[in-house]
Amino acid sequence: ALFGDYAEKKDLGEQTIAEGDVANNLSDRLTLNTVLMAISLFLLGVAAVTRAHRTTLILGGVATGIFLVALVLTLFIPFTGIG
């Protein structure tokens, strides 16, 4: 058989690609949540230097809300480990 093990290697390749796609999706979600947390830190930094107390409270509240949303979203991402 000239192409005897072709089907097995093709199936293994497709399975490996599918596993990589899942890992890539998880990585993208973690990156998004990291960016959201960085945005919240930026807003807290801006809130720290503003003079108006109302603006500080609004920025702090928005930053806290963004961080909490990112935290909850991060908790729903399964830990797969390496290997």
Side-chain angles (χ1 to χ4, degrees), residues 22-83:
V22 169
N24 186 37
N25 184 23
L26 294 176
S27 172
D28 288 346
R29 289 169 54 191
L30 283 172
T31 301
L32 172 64
N33 296 340
T34 303
V35 169
L36 288 173
M37 290 178 182
I39 290 171
S40 71
L41 285 175
F42 171 77
L43 290 175
L44 287 172
V46 171
V49 297
T50 56
R51 298 196 188 280
H53 185 65
R54 181 173 184 249
T55 305
T56 301
L57 289 176
I58 291 172
L59 285 174
V62 170
T64 303
I66 291 173
F67 184 83
L68 291 176
V69 167
L71 178 66
V72 169
L73 291 174
T74 302
L75 292 175
F76 284 111
I77 298 174
F79 178 75
T80 58
I82 297 175

